[in-house]
Amino acid sequence: MRLGQVIPNFKANTTHGPMQFYDWQDNSWIVLFSHPADFTPVCTTELGRIAVHDPLFKKRGVKILAHSCDKLQSHTDWVNDIKSYCRDIPGDFPYPIISDEKRELAVLLDMIDEANINNEAEATTVRALYIIDPQHKLRLSMLYPQSTGRNVDEILRVIDSLQLVDRNPNIATPANWTPGEKVMILPTVKDEELSKLFPGGVDKVAMPSGITYVRTTTDYK
């Protein structure tokens, strides 16, 4: 999957019933993430922590959608284990899990590693995570091996960044940025435009090269 690619309007069976993706998405952002298998330890922590943070995703207008190649009944049974392990999940398990037994969606969305893509017996999904905007476009992807669990704080951080730069296309967020910290002003913004675009002030960083390209501000919403 390439950034900017439109996610197809797939059909799927989920723990919340049959789904037509675009109808279910509506005007929301989506975090679609795959996990290798049900009843496995790292996956249990991932789905649990994402469920715990579901109110923070909802606050950002984001819906969560999980995926694996297990059977629907397996998902349903496993959810009880997840809720038992992560006791701080608020209320019912908050998001659907896709059952992709034939691996059709996993192949379509490039969720299977190269070594096992043609080996049905071994073709479990990697830890793929796709952030999809309301126009159904892939805006960010993260691919983790089966051995490494994902960081939910980082998922929320990049969503904040994507939504911020959509509101203000003249900025970008630097390394380790979190909301409220300084952002970078794009080089395409001319100096004479700064006071109009950022009346709250701009800091310019002097570089040994003499080129002024690092300009920061906290004047954004």
Side-chain angles (χ1 to χ4, degrees):
M1 297 293 294
R2 297 183 299 277
L3 296 186
Q5 188 171 345
V6 173
I7 302 297
N9 187 22
F10 59 83
K11 294 181 179 180
N13 291 319
T14 82
T15 51
H16 289 187
M19 169 188 293
Q20 185 79 48
F21 180 59
Y22 288 1
D23 291 341
W24 179 80
Q25 178 180 15
D26 196 21
N27 292 317
S28 298
W29 289 71
I30 302 295
V31 170
L32 169 59
F33 71 102
S34 63
H35 61 274
D38 296 350
F39 301 104
T40 53
V42 176
C43 299
T44 299
T45 66
E46 287 190 316
L47 273 76
R49 296 324 299 170
I50 289 174
V52 168
H53 287 78
D54 186 66
L56 297 179
F57 287 103
K58 283 187 169 69
K59 181 180 178 182
R60 292 161 168 80
V62 179
K63 292 181 178 179
I64 303 295
L65 180 59
H67 166 284
S68 86
C69 299
D70 297 282
K71 295 180 179 180
L72 197 58
Q73 187 59 52
S74 174
H75 288 337
T76 301
D77 294 341
W78 183 41
V79 162
N80 293 325
D81 284 2
I82 298 172
K83 290 171 64 178
S84 175
Y85 184 76
C86 295
R87 295 183 179 274
D88 48 346
I89 295 174
D92 295 333
F93 196 79
Y95 56 83
I97 308 173
I98 291 173
S99 174
D100 184 24
E101 290 184 62
K102 296 183 179 179
R103 299 182 173 85
E104 294 172 344
L105 188 57
V107 172
L108 178 67
L109 299 180
D110 287 337
M111 292 175 164
I112 297 176
D113 66 30
E114 188 66 25
N116 294 313
I117 193 167
N118 295 314
N119 184 345
E120 287 196 10
E122 299 294 334
T124 54
T125 50
V126 296
R127 300 187 193 283
L129 185 143
Y130 299 143
I131 298 177
I132 303 162
D133 70 16
Q135 289 71 48
H136 318 305
K137 290 185 178 180
L138 177 62
R139 297 293 298 276
L140 185 143
S141 67
M142 302 177 182
L143 296 176
Y144 288 66
Q146 294 185 18
S147 58
T148 304
R150 287 162 283 207
N151 186 310
V152 182
D153 290 335
E154 174 64 4
I155 299 168
L156 290 165
R157 189 188 78 88
V158 296
I159 290 170
D160 286 337
S161 173
L162 291 169
Q163 294 181 342
L164 173 62
V165 300
D166 276 3
R167 295 192 301 270
N168 189 336
N170 295 308
I171 60 176
T173 58
N176 296 336
W177 172 87
T178 57
E181 296 180 345
K182 289 182 179 181
V183 297
M184 317 303 285
I185 299 170
L186 296 182
T188 52
V189 177
K190 298 178 180 179
D191 277 351
E192 52 267 31
E193 299 175 307
L194 293 176
S195 60
K196 180 180 179 180
L197 293 173
F198 307 101
V202 172
D203 291 328
K204 297 180 180 180
V205 179
M207 293 291 194
S209 65
I211 303 172
T212 304
Y213 57 92
V214 177
R215 300 171 298 174
T216 68
T217 186
T218 56
D219 183 15
Y220 63 89
K221 296 181 180 179

